[in-house]
Amino acid sequence: MKFLLLTLITHQPDPVTGATESPARRLRRVIDSARLAEELGYDGFAVGERHEDPFLSAAPPVMLSHIAAVTSRIALFTGVTTLSLLDPVRAFEDYSTLDNLSGGRLELIIGKGNGVAQARLFGVGTDDQWDRNREGYELFRRLWHSEKVSWSGRFRPPLVDAKALPRPLQPRLRIWHGSATSRDSVELAARHGDPLFSANVTHPVQPYAELVAHYRRRWAEYGHDPAAAMVGAGTAGFHLAHTSQDALAVYRPIFHARQAAARKIGLPVVFETLDDFVERSSALIGSPAQVREKIERYHEALGHEVIHLSTDSDGRTDAQHRESLALFQSEVAPALRRRIPSRPLGADRYALEPSGVQQ
């Protein structure tokens, strides 16, 4: 199994202290987290894309390029790239440049996007975001694979023998399709032989397991080798301590602050208590033994080989968060890496490509 750290770069008052740091400080802490992820032995680092409060994650290529400059090994993920909002030619230019600068460490997770702010900022709403995502993906894919592209579609001007530069380092970029509930995303992933990344954060495992099972069925129906299907999954929360009592004590005020924030903006509250949240959600909160058991139980339902954990401290001290991440790497990850096979990520994958040139 492979392990990513993910941030959506939330920017809001600390749920425990109430203090709010400056945007500059918040962005710098993301860079520090990526360094820490590599230092501790995590396999990848993911930066999300959001265009509304309370997030500062509007520019993943910029953040990941900075991270590429201060790390050397860790795979660089988006989580997700909202292709419905982006001109696919410009997205190609950004990510191809990042692919070259990082030595082939890039992997994309794409999604159609969410939130009402995108309609105001980009003129993209729920009525056309899926069609824009599909069209953007298909053009982006062609630009990556071909030096010259002729193309026409609904949402941007046509291309005639267009050459987008720079040419990428990886001849075949791995593009994951992120989905919480959308079978449209699953269908697109299965048709093109791409991996699926299940959000897996809002509800108990059952609806996500059903979506993954549908992906595997459609994958086979499109004629792909069932063994080649690849699945990743998110987690709803994360804190590890030597005892479950210590883990719960640290996470309790964070949980209650999140519940209050969700109710304030009218979001559904699925798990009313912390105990229920720990038991029935994908959150990994507890002792190393409890967290290992939880991941193995979810693996039985999803068959995933990659998971992401939150890299945001969210009310914990830096020391508490670092200890939690280090404890996961020393007491949880080794056993899961041995037990659950997983394929290479980032530059490790690129080095195995027949046309790849090791850097």
Side-chain angles (χ1 to χ4, degrees):
M1 182 166 266
K2 296 290 194 298
F3 305 99
L4 317 179
L5 296 187
L6 167 75
T7 181
L8 299 179
I9 321 185
T10 52
H11 185 235
Q12 53 194 347
D14 184 286
V16 175
T17 68
T20 302
E21 60 193 346
S22 70
R25 174 58 185 151
R26 181 69 184 94
L27 293 171
R28 288 299 314 177
R29 282 207 298 115
V30 174
I31 306 304
D32 294 342
S33 294
R35 285 196 183 99
L36 177 62
E38 181 159 281
E39 175 188 329
L40 293 176
Y42 283 87
D43 301 290
F45 192 90
V47 175
E49 182 178 336
R50 296 290 189 276
H51 298 275
E52 60 187 327
D53 283 333
F55 306 104
L56 300 179
S57 52
V62 177
M63 295 300 298
L64 290 171
S65 291
H66 195 149
I67 290 168
V70 299
T71 60
S72 60
R73 174 195 59 79
I74 202 163
L76 306 175
F77 278 73
T78 62
V80 300
T81 294
T82 52
L83 274 179
S84 63
L85 311 183
L86 308 175
D87 183 302
V89 176
R90 191 71 184 98
F92 166 83
E93 292 172 339
D94 284 343
Y95 285 113
S96 179
T97 300
L98 172 55
D99 189 48
N100 281 283
L101 288 173
S102 67
R105 289 190 276 153
L106 176 65
E107 303 215 8
L108 290 190
I109 307 175
I110 67 166
K112 67 181 185 300
N114 53 52
V116 297
Q118 67 186 27
R120 295 193 296 268
L121 291 172
F122 299 97
V124 176
T126 56
D127 57 335
D128 64 356
Q129 64 180 1
W130 162 248
D131 290 334
R132 287 176 178 273
N133 179 73
R134 176 191 52 76
E135 183 175 292
Y137 161 76
E138 290 174 349
L139 177 53
F140 183 94
R141 179 186 173 101
R142 287 185 61 184
L143 290 165
W144 199 279
H145 293 173
S146 304
E147 289 204 9
K148 288 189 176 181
V149 171
S150 294
W151 173 92
S152 64
R154 290 175 54 195
F155 300 109
R156 75 168 321 278
L159 301 174
V160 178
D161 288 336
K163 184 175 183 178
L165 297 172
R167 298 309 304 157
L169 188 61
Q170 298 182 75
R172 291 292 183 269
L173 178 67
R174 181 184 281 152
I175 302 178
W176 302 72
H177 295 251
S179 179
T181 58
S182 172
R183 290 200 171 192
D184 289 329
S185 295
V186 166
E187 182 73 16
L188 192 63
R191 182 164 77 244
H192 286 282
D194 292 333
L196 177 71
F197 216 105
S198 170
N200 191 41
V201 297
T202 305
H203 301 282
V205 72
Q206 288 81 7
Y208 305 112
E210 291 170 5
L211 197 70
V212 169
H214 177 71
Y215 164 72
R216 295 187 189 277
R217 285 194 300 271
R218 296 298 290 149
W219 175 280
E221 289 165 3
Y222 276 114
H224 304 302
D225 178 1
M230 190 173 186
V231 175
T235 53
F238 172 67
H239 186 69
L240 202 63
H242 289 285
T243 69
S244 60
Q245 293 84 357
D246 287 344
L248 290 170
V250 169
Y251 204 84
R252 192 174 304 279
I254 300 168
F255 173 79
H256 289 309
R258 287 182 172 180
Q259 296 290 82
R263 289 190 174 95
K264 184 176 180 180
I265 61 176
L267 292 178
V269 174
V270 177
F271 307 102
E272 291 286 348
T273 67
L274 177 58
D275 288 343
D276 188 36
F277 181 64
V278 171
E279 175 60 28
R280 293 196 305 122
S281 82
S282 62
L284 303 176
I285 301 165
S287 68
Q290 288 173 314
V291 167
R292 281 196 305 271
E293 185 277 332
K294 181 77 163 288
I295 293 173
E296 289 169 351
R297 174 155 48 93
Y298 264 67
H299 177 72
E300 291 176 2
L302 301 174
H304 57 311
E305 60 188 84
V306 181
I307 67 171
H308 73 56
L309 313 172
S310 173
T311 188
D312 298 329
S313 54
D314 290 332
R316 288 162 286 183
T317 66
D318 289 344
Q320 286 172 328
H321 191 46
R322 182 186 180 103
E323 181 181 4
S324 177
L325 293 170
L327 190 60
F328 184 92
Q329 276 297 314
S330 63
E331 300 295 330
V332 177
L336 294 172
R337 286 193 173 105
R338 289 191 299 268
R339 178 170 178 177
I340 301 173
S342 54
R343 280 156 277 197
L345 301 178
D348 290 340
R349 170 179 175 266
Y350 167 64
L352 297 176
E353 290 287 326
S355 56
V357 178
Q358 295 193 36
Q359 300 298 304

